[in-house]
Amino acid sequence: FEESGFTLQENTYCDLELYRREAVVLIAMTKFKGEKKAFRQASNQIDPRMIAELLAAFQACEQQPDCEAIILASSHRVAFSRGAGIELLDGVDTATCRLFIDKAQGLLLAMQQMTTPIIAALGGLTLGGGLELAMGCDRRVAGDRENVVFGQPEALLGIIPAMGGTQNLPRLVGMEKAMDRMMDARPDGSPAEGLECG
């Protein structure tokens, strides 16, 4: 990010780094950075800490009068975010599962209510909750590298896209295309296909 003119800011986050270039703040997700095994398995996994940190970072940016735009990106070239790991919800009781989903949905609602525009810079795998996080942003920008892939694979696990995907995907691409994507759970959407779908 420094090569693009951004300066790393001091922060207290565990899974995020904040950069600044003039009136633009870049929030970079860094979860599992440098841990190759974990990096391959769960890059920028959306868990309670990631949700809390993203919410705090967005709210802090919104309170800065000189912040005119926010870019949400990943420090990893392999993945923007692979979403929530199913192990977070495996074997937990209904109340714990509901609390996690409520917090995830609360993050997306807070993002959509912000007056500062949020742009998702998508690189690598953008799957499940990662795609839902991107859909919660005002705009999405993706390169055309081969490893940039989109998908809502939740149906393969017998669940639905519970972070707003059932609402936001139809709003973005229309009901028919959204239902096709959610029900067949193909994790192979390309930026060109996304652009064609709108």
Side-chain angles (χ1 to χ4, degrees):
F1 303 117
E2 287 94 339
E3 292 175 4
S4 299
F6 285 91
T7 303
L8 182 64
Q9 306 293 293
E10 290 186 29
N11 65 69
T12 58
Y13 302 107
C14 295
D15 298 327
L16 305 176
E17 289 178 343
L18 272 62
Y19 295 80
R20 181 119 191 186
R21 187 177 75 186
E22 299 176 7
V24 178
V25 174
L26 187 147
I27 299 172
M29 296 179 287
T30 61
K31 195 166 184 68
F32 295 133
K33 187 176 182 180
E35 297 178 30
K36 294 189 182 288
K37 183 178 178 184
F39 174 64
R40 286 195 304 271
Q41 291 175 346
S43 296
N44 293 325
Q45 182 182 61
I46 297 174
D47 58 16
R49 186 173 75 189
M50 178 69 87
I51 291 169
E53 290 196 353
L54 283 169
L55 182 59
F58 286 132
Q59 289 173 338
C61 291
E62 180 83 337
Q63 292 169 3
Q64 296 176 25
D66 59 343
C67 176
E68 296 178 7
I70 301 166
I71 298 172
L72 178 62
S74 171
S75 289
H76 310 312
R77 292 180 179 266
V78 174
F80 174 77
S81 173
R82 293 184 181 187
I86 193 63
E87 66 276 6
L88 292 173
L89 304 177
D90 190 31
V92 301
D93 58 60
T94 303
T96 303
C97 184
R98 181 76 247 175
L99 181 62
F100 174 75
I101 292 170
D102 286 347
K103 287 182 184 274
Q105 290 176 349
L107 169 63
L108 272 287
L109 289 172
M111 291 167 62
Q112 292 169 338
Q113 293 170 358
M114 288 177 57
T115 57
T116 307
I118 307 171
I119 302 154
L122 308 177
L125 299 173
T126 304
L127 303 174
L131 181 56
E132 292 174 285
L133 183 61
M135 288 189 289
C137 296
D138 298 293
R139 293 285 183 267
R140 288 143 297 281
V141 179
D144 59 359
R145 298 191 327 251
E146 286 183 12
N147 73 323
V148 180
V149 179
F150 309 123
Q152 293 287 180
E154 288 89 345
L156 296 174
L157 302 171
I159 59 176
I160 63 168
M163 259 180 76
T166 58
Q167 306 301 308
N168 290 328
L169 191 55
R171 289 181 186 132
L172 290 169
V173 303
M175 184 61 75
E176 186 175 342
K177 290 176 183 171
M179 291 297 287
D180 177 56
R181 269 283 159 203
M182 286 186 282
M183 290 194 296
D184 71 15
R186 293 187 330 265
D188 64 355
S190 69
E193 182 184 354
L195 183 62
E196 184 181 329
C197 289

